[in-house]
Amino acid sequence: MIQPILEIRNLHARVGEREILRGVDLTVYPGQVHAIMGPNGSGKSTLAAVLAGREDYQVTEGEVLFDGKNLLELSPEDRAREGLFLAFQYPVEIPGVSTATFLKTALNELRKHRGQSPLDAMEFMELMRERAALVNIDPAFFSRSLNEGFSGGEKKRNEIFQLAMLEPRLAILDETDSGLDIDALRIVADGVNALRTPDRAFVVITHYQRLLNYIVPDIVHVLYRGRIIKSGTKELALELEAKGYDWIKDEAEVEA
Amino acid sequence: MSTVSTQSPVQSPILERIVREHRQFLDRLNGQQGKHLATLRLQAMEEFQRLGIPTVRHEEWKYTNLFPLLAKNFSLATEVDAAQMTDTVSAQFRHWGEPALVVNGMLHPPAASVVGSLRHALEMDQSFLTELGKLAPFKGDAIIAWNTAFLRDGAVIRVGDGVEYGTPIVLVSLLDGRDGNVVVHERHLLQLGRRSSLTLVLVQRSLGDGQVLLEQVLEGWVGEDSTLRLILVQDAPATNHAITTHCIELERNARLHMTTISIGGGFIRNMPVVRLAGEGADAQLYGLTIADGTMLVDHHTTVDHAVPNCTSNELYKAILDGRSTGVFNGKIVVRPHAQKTSAYQANRNIVLSNRATINTKPQLEIFANDVRCTHGCTVGRLDREALFYLRTRGLSTKEAEALLLTAFAEEITGTVPLNVLRTEINAQIEHLLGADELA
Ligand SMILES: Nc1ncnc2c1ncn2[C@@H]1O[C@H](COP(=O)(O)OP(=O)(O)O)[C@@H](O)[C@H]1O
Ligand SMILES: [Mg+2]
């Protein structure tokens, strides 16, 4: 039997007194693409942040297994080294740190963890060029400060570029489509599709169905008030697009 | 001579010691260097005693207490035979430019250079004395009075009209701490003619394990359309202390580009005083402090806009760890007629430890009305969001911090206009911040 990459069981998380995740269950297998949709404020970014290890959130109940390991006891960097990647909804601007310097450190850190030798400067540049081409990133970006002064679209492409460089087992994309025009959306989606492999999985968080025309999901979930209240095939996304979220909210309220 | 009775009890022993050493100093000189200079020294000593050593009750010394430093009982450094060491020490700085050594305050000028010694200049021409103190008058300033009282030698650097002096001059202050704690007074004069330029590097080194205090005053004139690039490298071990007063006057369209790198030493107080005296003059001042342990670094800047249409910009940054102290006091004066002045000032601090202290204070004295002046300061920890972002990419907290701190520092080291020196400073900083171990 194939082991899931990610298994979330009854995950509860809070900020201060406020419970934001209220029992999330989700199982992701290698090769799959899961979409998580839901109205603003449902807890989608919180789920992504808890998985990536953001310390603002306190997990009060439940467990998360990543490749069978207890994810929640790992530091953010160890999660990354184990193969988890989060494409941020709002990538952070880091003045003075070039994309190249940062990525070289990150990649060699991951390679060390995987028992591989560090890449030398030439190999690294070669890899950067190759992967940048996937998302149409100009090599001139390599020497610019990370995300500083990048347009919204450039920041999102830069996230996917990092994904391509770091080759994670599981990539969580948090609203990577928001703020993108249709051309940029295509570029990002093509990049992601090129990175799909039988043993890599994606969790694509999005507010709009649009992205899912390009990155076709195996399963679509609706997260609402900190719970997955409905799961289905990609047709569910179309239905949500047509009918909005209200009918699902009503269903959920009835069940609750 | 006045008495010391008006001084507080804590300072009298230190002051008395200085007065005693001054008497011995004058005795040793035994009238050499002429009567005028002797009078100047006595007057300065009188002023020093009148003012007393500044205490923390003194507004300009509120955050920086001189007494723990002076309690180290520095004795006045005496002349040492420097003949054997000049070559070896100079050799360490030759790749930066043209080294000129000042050993315990006495200049050992290199052959064929724009650098001469103040003592020779004074021997040749006592009228030269009138230049001394024009930019750094001792009246009302205890440190300059102290310096003038013990004035003996230093460098005189003169660059003539139209001369773009290509090789940087590296003024190395070598202090001999082999026989205990010593204080050294240096007095330098710098004159750039019109349409000329010079890069001057100031750096401090010591011999032996004793504590050494460099008390340095520099007076510099930058003539019309000329450029002075001044780099102060403070990277010596913790036994090295420094009190510097650098008074620079800029004539019409003259430029000053000054970078101060304070990443090593015990007690450091820098007082650049820049006077924009000709229209179109521009002053750029950059400073970087990286302090740990009990290090104290105080940047006490004065930018004086005396005429219209001048620009100034200051950016000072500090990274403070351990029980270190950082001070930034940025005084900007805009005189009543200095309309169309642009003056910017920013002070950015990262405090890494709960026990580190930063004091930052803008001091604006603006008497003209058509002025653009902005100032700002920030004190904070490292950006948590940035740290988290980097960690989600596999960097350890230590690596992420090193990367962010290095980037913070490199904004200042990037202003060092000398490639070899900048590279060396960056390497030192990466080592200090642990960034040299990055994968
Ligand atoms: N760090 C935080 N502090 C306080 N409230 C938070 C924090 N993070 C998220 N929340 C709240 O939790 C809810 C879910 O937020 P979020 O996970 O960003 O939703 P989504 O990504 O689905 O729009 C929102 O009401 C938000 O205000
Ligand atoms: Mg969100």
Side-chain angles (χ1 to χ4, degrees):
Chain A
M1 218 191 90
I2 308 173
Q3 200 192 0
I5 289 187
L6 182 71
E7 252 186 298
I8 304 177
R9 295 198 199 114
N10 189 33
L11 184 66
H12 289 251
R14 56 170 64 220
V15 164
E17 288 303 294
R18 169 129 184 245
E19 185 161 56
I20 300 171
L21 300 182
R22 302 185 304 138
V24 175
D25 291 283
L26 179 69
T27 304
V28 179
Y29 287 94
Q32 285 187 327
V33 173
H34 287 239
I36 297 182
M37 303 185 71
N40 270 332
S42 298
K44 302 184 297 293
S45 292
T46 301
L47 176 62
V50 168
L51 294 177
R54 192 187 279 275
E55 277 141 12
D56 306 345
Y57 301 99
Q58 193 193 344
V59 173
T60 51
E61 235 186 294
E63 63 174 346
V64 180
L65 297 180
F66 182 61
D67 270 333
K69 295 186 196 89
N70 181 354
L71 184 75
L72 298 178
E73 69 182 13
L74 299 179
S75 65
E77 54 269 35
D78 281 336
R79 297 177 196 205
R81 292 165 189 172
E82 290 290 332
L84 184 82
F85 181 89
L86 170 62
F88 280 57
Q89 181 173 359
Y90 304 108
V92 184
E93 297 196 6
I94 307 193
V97 176
S98 74
T99 303
T101 307
F102 148 70
L103 264 181
K104 188 160 192 284
T105 312
L107 182 61
N108 283 335
E109 202 51 65
L110 299 195
R111 290 179 64 88
K112 189 164 79 190
H113 189 76
R114 295 173 193 151
Q116 297 165 321
S117 60
L119 291 186
D120 66 31
M122 289 281 283
E123 295 167 320
F124 178 72
M125 279 310 291
E126 192 48 46
L127 186 70
M128 288 235 290
R129 276 204 203 89
E130 179 201 317
R131 300 294 151 93
L134 271 182
V135 277
N136 244 350
I137 281 183
D138 186 331
F141 269 74
F142 301 161
S143 54
R144 282 178 54 182
S145 288
L146 192 54
N147 293 324
E148 195 187 29
F150 288 20
S151 71
E154 286 167 343
K155 283 181 185 165
K156 298 303 177 77
R157 276 191 282 150
N158 194 263
E159 293 292 287
I160 304 305
F161 167 53
Q162 291 175 39
L163 194 169
M165 289 294 291
L166 302 177
E167 303 181 322
R169 288 269 290 146
L170 173 70
I172 304 166
L173 275 46
D174 190 1
E175 302 225 13
T176 301
D177 54 333
S178 65
L180 296 188
D181 62 29
I182 193 72
D183 293 332
L185 185 78
R186 267 220 168 84
I187 292 169
V188 163
D190 288 349
V192 169
N193 287 329
L195 294 166
R196 287 184 69 168
T197 65
D199 49 24
R200 177 174 297 147
F202 288 85
V203 173
V204 179
I205 295 172
T206 180
H207 195 62
Y208 304 103
Q209 182 273 338
R210 198 175 62 151
L211 176 70
L212 305 180
N213 289 333
Y214 300 98
I215 305 173
V216 181
D218 298 293
I219 304 175
V220 174
H221 309 274
V222 178
L223 187 76
Y224 180 61
R225 292 198 176 161
R227 271 199 202 106
I228 288 179
I229 55 165
K230 200 169 183 72
S231 300
T233 59
K234 62 178 192 285
E235 280 70 33
L236 175 58
L238 289 168
E239 203 174 348
L240 288 167
E241 179 78 358
K243 299 204 282 184
Y245 285 105
D246 286 349
W247 61 281
I248 278 191
K249 289 183 193 170
D250 295 343
E251 257 179 40
E253 242 101 82
V254 173
E255 281 167 30
Chain B
M1 231 181 250
S2 63
T3 66
V4 296
S5 60
T6 54
Q7 302 309 323
S8 67
V10 269
Q11 77 168 315
S12 49
I14 295 172
L15 197 62
E16 274 165 19
R17 182 191 173 97
I18 292 173
V19 172
R20 203 165 53 239
E21 290 223 309
H22 190 245
R23 230 173 274 127
Q24 291 163 359
F25 167 69
L26 295 183
D27 287 348
R28 269 202 309 278
L29 282 176
N30 193 22
Q32 288 170 46
Q33 293 189 297
K35 215 173 110 219
H36 291 298
L37 197 48
T39 312
L40 181 70
R41 290 191 188 107
L42 282 174
Q43 287 169 343
M45 194 61 205
E46 216 169 294
E47 178 70 353
F48 179 66
Q49 283 177 273
R50 188 183 70 81
L51 295 167
I53 299 164
T55 71
V56 290
R57 273 171 297 169
H58 196 294
E59 187 58 30
E60 306 291 333
W61 293 86
K62 200 158 103 183
Y63 304 116
T64 301
N65 190 350
L66 271 170
F67 287 87
L69 173 74
L70 297 181
K72 294 180 194 298
N73 284 324
F74 297 101
S75 43
L76 186 67
T78 51
E79 205 171 331
V80 290
D81 180 13
Q84 327 94 309
M85 49 192 154
T86 47
D87 284 348
T88 42
V89 176
S90 296
Q92 297 168 27
F93 297 96
R94 203 150 282 141
H95 60 296
W96 291 0
E98 198 177 301
L101 224 59
V102 190
V103 185
N104 275 4
M106 304 295 280
L107 185 85
H108 294 263
S113 163
V114 287
V115 184
S117 84
L118 181 64
R119 64 178 188 279
H120 287 143
L122 290 170
E123 272 164 24
M124 311 276 288
D125 179 6
Q126 282 275 309
S127 71
F128 203 73
L129 264 176
T130 55
E131 302 294 306
L132 280 174
K134 269 191 181 157
L135 294 183
F138 63 76
K139 277 271 180 292
D141 187 308
I143 300 299
I144 296 174
W146 190 22
N147 182 275
T148 310
F150 287 93
L151 192 150
R152 184 154 184 220
D153 195 17
V156 176
I157 304 174
R158 281 165 145 164
V159 181
D161 291 350
V163 177
E164 307 238 344
Y165 203 79
T167 317
I169 301 287
V170 184
L171 206 56
V172 184
S173 301
L174 184 65
L175 289 75
D176 186 359
R178 288 175 299 187
D179 297 323
N181 301 350
V182 294
V183 56
V184 169
H185 303 277
E186 289 180 0
R187 184 64 164 256
H188 307 298
L189 289 186
L190 176 63
Q191 286 174 330
L192 266 69
R194 299 169 174 206
R195 300 176 318 280
S196 62
S197 71
L198 177 75
T199 301
L200 176 64
V201 182
L202 302 172
V203 61
Q204 176 178 348
R205 289 290 179 267
S206 66
L207 298 170
D209 300 326
Q211 307 265 331
V212 296
L213 169 61
L214 171 64
E215 188 280 303
Q216 181 181 64
V217 173
L218 178 146
E219 294 176 86
W221 287 263
V222 185
E224 264 182 51
D225 299 311
S226 293
T227 301
L228 172 64
R229 289 172 291 265
L230 191 58
I231 310 158
L232 191 52
V233 184
Q234 298 176 317
D235 64 344
T239 49
N240 281 252
H241 312 284
I243 300 174
T244 72
T245 311
H246 297 141
C247 305
I248 313 284
E249 184 166 282
L250 302 177
E251 302 306 331
R252 178 182 291 269
N253 294 331
R255 287 171 299 274
L256 169 69
H257 183 289
M258 178 172 182
T259 304
T260 303
I261 305 287
S262 310
I263 57 178
F267 175 106
I268 292 175
R269 160 92 167 196
N270 295 319
M271 293 170 279
V273 180
V274 182
R275 199 173 131 81
L276 298 120
E279 289 199 33
D282 173 64
Q284 304 283 324
L285 277 72
Y286 302 97
L288 174 67
T289 297
I290 300 179
D292 200 347
T294 56
M295 187 173 172
L296 179 151
V297 181
D298 177 354
H299 297 290
H300 206 92
T301 71
T302 304
V303 174
D304 183 354
H305 285 263
V307 297
N309 292 313
C310 292
T311 49
S312 67
N313 176 40
E314 291 174 79
L315 175 61
Y316 279 77
K317 289 180 140 190
I319 299 172
L320 302 166
D321 203 349
R323 287 190 286 139
S324 66
T325 306
V327 181
F328 176 76
N329 186 105
K331 182 168 168 175
I332 297 176
V333 183
V334 181
R335 307 268 167 195
H337 300 295
Q339 303 295 3
K340 308 274 181 215
T341 287
S342 282
Y344 301 101
Q345 180 189 92
N347 177 229
R348 312 247 170 271
N349 303 285
I350 293 180
V351 180
L352 296 174
S353 139
N354 289 327
R355 293 175 306 162
T357 317
I358 172 77
N359 293 298
T360 168
K361 185 176 137 213
Q363 202 180 332
L364 308 182
E365 298 176 6
I366 299 176
F367 303 105
N369 47 32
D370 186 8
V371 169
R372 281 156 58 95
C373 178
T374 63
H375 65 92
C377 79
T378 54
V379 177
R381 305 229 153 207
L382 277 175
D383 181 4
R384 286 182 65 225
E385 281 299 306
L387 275 176
F388 178 63
Y389 186 77
L390 295 175
R391 290 175 72 199
T392 65
R393 301 305 187 243
L395 274 70
S396 66
T397 306
K398 223 179 132 228
E399 284 176 318
E401 283 174 356
L403 212 56
L404 293 176
L405 291 174
T406 309
F408 178 83
E410 281 179 354
E411 189 184 358
I412 300 299
T413 60
T415 68
V416 173
L418 217 105
N419 291 342
V420 267
L421 180 54
R422 185 175 57 247
T423 308
E424 275 182 49
I425 292 169
N426 279 339
Q428 271 196 64
I429 287 173
E430 283 177 16
H431 179 70
L432 277 176
L433 300 174
D436 55 344
E437 286 160 24
L438 288 182

